[in-house]
Amino acid sequence: MLDKEGIAKRIAKEVKDGYYVNLGIGIPTLVANYIPNNIDVVLQSENGLLGMGPFPFEGEEDPDTINAGKQTITKLPGSAVFDSAMSFGMIRAKKVNLTILGAMEVSENGDIANWKIPGKMVKGMGGAMDLVASAENIIVAMQHVNKAGESKLLPNCTLPLTGIKCVKKIVTELAVLDVMPDGGFKLLERAPGVSVEEIKNATAGKLLIDGDVPEMVI
Amino acid sequence: MNKVVSGAQEAINDIKDGMTLMLGGFGLCGLPEKTILALAASGIKDLTCISNNAGVDDFGIGLLLRNRQVKKMISSYVGENAEFERQLLSGELEVELIPQGTLATRCMAAGYGMPAIFTPAGIGTEVAEGKEVRKFNGKDYLMEMAFDADFAIVKAWKGDTMGNLVYRSTARNFNPVMAMAGKVTIAEVEELVEPGELDPDHIHTPGIYVHRIFKGENYEKRVEQRTVRKR
């Protein structure tokens, strides 16, 4: 089973040379720490920055330089700043190659819910609806089951949707899965020490298993 | 073409109860903090505020919420404000949550003189309820209307007396598109200079969009999440 860092490490392997990547809040943010040094990647922060760098050294924080999670960050050489309309313009126009975000639920046809729990949590969707509606390559980083032990990979989402038929790949503490065009979660890899049986039990939606499922290499 | 006013108080002196305001900033970054303080002290009420976020409990738009000056918020993310969440869940505050890109683009549309835009954001979700859907090249898009705001209130780094503005780093965010979208636009700046001191090639918001400008003193620039790394 993977911890959060492990999920981030596995997702980092999906980041390719030359990509512009948008990382959501939470586990997706950690992915930045594991992108190999030998590939060239530019991180987009939807508040209006390309070329997001690491956190600043203590004492060098700039209140005018933050990421979409409102954290103080740095700008790498070659970075560019722009307004919010242009930021979502480049997302809508599919200039951003990969979007990695968290989810509360994903359905077997690729619907995603991650912004609202009616009556309980009302924080808003931020840029998530824009990202999932336009991005062609969306990876979801999430826990396979919720705190009550219920599967978050479902036949249909029960929470208000963020977007429909958009998730392509999911990485959880248990597995890597593709969402198939005709529906269903195709099991690609098992986390170290996790059996296919455990993944079956944790997946409420249709799970597609084709032959032996390799253990993931991180 | 001198747009200079004495300060925030003069800048807001004709904002009335029930008006619609746009406020720049992302989180607390690039927030027109001086004008918000003046609004909080003014007692103006029943405001509709269009802003990406709702501030925190004791800073930014949170100050207006605490005073019950806001009737309706139009935002994309309000997670940092407990008082906001309380007023929302209790029904005291009317809230329209919309996608962040939709918010920015509805500002842009107003500033470019376009009545509406089409975006895929929100298709198949509750955001699409009651809105016109149009199909282009086989994909569904929502029609979203340009905003109609009485005032836009923005924060820039530098400005000149003619209202030309330059922003700094990610404090730019919604400020340029909102500056373009108000019937009246108020800009507060850290540095106010004479015409000619800003390079025309470096101006982000041309002065034609700005009606009032003043220099704010002692910016607090509060940080929401101070994150650092070890040396």
Side-chain angles (χ1 to χ4, degrees):
Chain A
M1 194 183 296
L2 301 176
D3 58 8
K4 285 178 180 180
E5 300 284 341
I7 294 173
K9 265 186 211 174
R10 176 59 191 83
I11 291 177
K13 290 176 68 177
E14 304 293 323
V15 180
K16 306 286 187 254
D17 191 38
Y19 270 15
Y20 291 91
V21 181
N22 180 288
L23 302 176
I25 294 161
I27 299 174
T29 306
L30 301 174
V31 173
N33 301 334
Y34 300 108
I35 296 171
N37 288 327
N38 60 352
I39 67 170
D40 210 0
V41 170
V42 176
L43 299 181
Q44 198 247 19
S45 191
E46 67 267 23
N47 55 317
L49 175 64
L50 278 166
M52 178 169 60
F55 294 149
F57 290 119
E58 203 164 349
E60 292 179 3
E61 310 92 287
D62 172 8
D64 288 339
T65 304
I66 64 168
N67 65 14
K70 284 104 182 176
Q71 297 170 309
T72 47
I73 42 122
T74 54
K75 289 175 286 190
L76 294 174
S79 65
V81 172
F82 34 85
D83 67 58
S84 301
M86 185 181 281
S87 183
F88 284 94
M90 63 185 70
I91 289 165
R92 223 177 279 119
K94 307 184 194 305
K95 305 296 180 188
V96 176
N97 305 97
L98 175 62
T99 293
I100 302 168
L101 76 175
M104 297 172 187
E105 295 177 347
V106 175
S107 78
E108 63 190 35
N109 68 348
D111 295 352
I112 177 171
N114 73 352
W115 74 281
K116 183 179 183 183
I117 303 172
K120 276 189 191 161
M121 185 207 80
V122 199
K123 294 191 185 301
M125 65 290 281
M129 282 195 184
D130 307 274
L131 282 158
V132 301
S134 293
E136 289 183 317
N137 194 1
I138 299 176
I139 301 178
V140 164
M142 67 191 286
Q143 301 297 323
H144 215 103
V145 296
N146 65 20
K147 283 175 188 147
E150 297 156 344
S151 180
K152 296 165 73 170
L153 280 67
L154 304 170
N156 293 293
C157 292
T158 62
L159 294 169
L161 294 175
T162 308
I164 54 171
K165 295 183 183 142
C166 52
V167 177
K168 298 288 188 292
K169 192 180 281 293
I170 304 166
V171 179
T172 75
E173 77 281 18
L174 303 180
V176 179
L177 311 104
D178 268 354
V179 179
M180 301 308 285
D182 300 332
F185 302 107
K186 185 171 184 191
L187 182 56
L188 301 180
E189 298 172 21
R190 296 172 292 114
V194 173
S195 70
V196 170
E197 208 53 37
E198 284 172 82
I199 297 164
K200 267 188 195 168
N201 291 338
T203 308
K206 185 164 64 174
L207 186 67
L208 306 167
I209 302 165
D210 188 10
D212 280 344
V213 179
E215 189 170 288
M216 63 178 84
V217 181
I218 302 176
Chain B
M1 284 298 163
N2 190 324
K3 313 279 179 78
V4 178
V5 295
S6 58
Q9 222 169 337
E10 184 185 345
I12 66 160
N13 70 1
D14 51 351
I15 296 182
K16 297 190 172 56
D17 291 354
M19 282 187 164
T20 297
L21 312 182
M22 276 178 177
L23 298 121
F26 178 88
L28 305 181
C29 181
L31 200 69
E33 55 179 272
K34 301 304 169 195
T35 311
I36 291 172
L37 284 172
L39 285 168
S42 72
I44 300 164
K45 58 181 194 301
D46 295 329
L47 294 170
T48 294
C49 291
I50 302 167
S51 189
N52 190 57
N53 311 91
V56 292
D57 288 336
D58 61 343
F59 195 70
I61 296 172
L63 296 172
L64 307 181
L65 289 165
R66 202 169 61 179
N67 293 348
R68 309 291 176 89
Q69 292 172 274
V70 183
K71 183 182 69 179
K72 180 177 180 181
M73 277 298 310
I74 302 175
S75 301
S76 88
Y77 190 82
V78 294
E80 288 90 1
N81 190 319
E83 173 62 14
F84 180 100
E85 207 162 348
R86 192 197 64 72
Q87 288 187 22
L88 169 58
L89 291 171
S90 70
E92 292 163 58
L93 179 69
E94 197 183 331
V95 177
E96 192 181 333
L97 288 170
I98 62 175
Q100 195 175 327
T102 301
L103 186 101
T105 314
R106 289 174 68 187
C107 296
M108 190 202 77
Y112 278 81
M114 301 183 297
I117 55 115
F118 290 94
T119 176
I123 286 286
T125 77
E126 63 183 55
V127 166
E129 283 167 18
K131 290 176 186 161
E132 185 177 336
V133 176
R134 286 275 295 273
K135 204 179 269 295
F136 296 97
N137 300 320
K139 184 170 173 172
D140 285 339
Y141 293 80
L142 278 185
M143 186 166 79
E144 296 277 8
M145 307 306 287
F147 281 125
D148 184 16
D150 298 299
F151 282 81
I153 301 168
V154 302
K155 155 82 191 338
W157 178 36
K158 292 181 184 177
D160 68 20
T161 58
M162 294 177 73
N164 294 304
L165 303 177
V166 176
Y167 307 91
R168 183 175 174 275
S169 198
T170 60
R172 190 183 316 190
N173 55 62
F174 284 86
N175 286 300
V177 284
M178 288 187 171
M180 296 168 69
K183 287 194 194 79
V184 176
T185 292
I186 297 168
E188 54 174 87
V189 297
E190 291 174 57
E191 267 183 68
L192 184 60
V193 301
E194 291 302 315
E197 290 186 47
L198 299 175
D199 183 339
D201 280 331
H202 293 171
I203 285 166
H204 298 130
T205 297
I208 192 168
Y209 286 111
V210 176
H211 305 87
R212 300 168 193 174
I213 188 167
F214 70 92
K215 180 180 183 302
E217 305 289 344
N218 304 319
Y219 275 91
E220 179 177 341
K221 293 196 185 181
R222 195 183 292 189
V223 170
E224 257 172 276
Q225 308 278 343
R226 190 175 297 276
T227 44
V228 296
R229 70 187 141 136
K230 291 258 179 291
R231 271 176 207 278

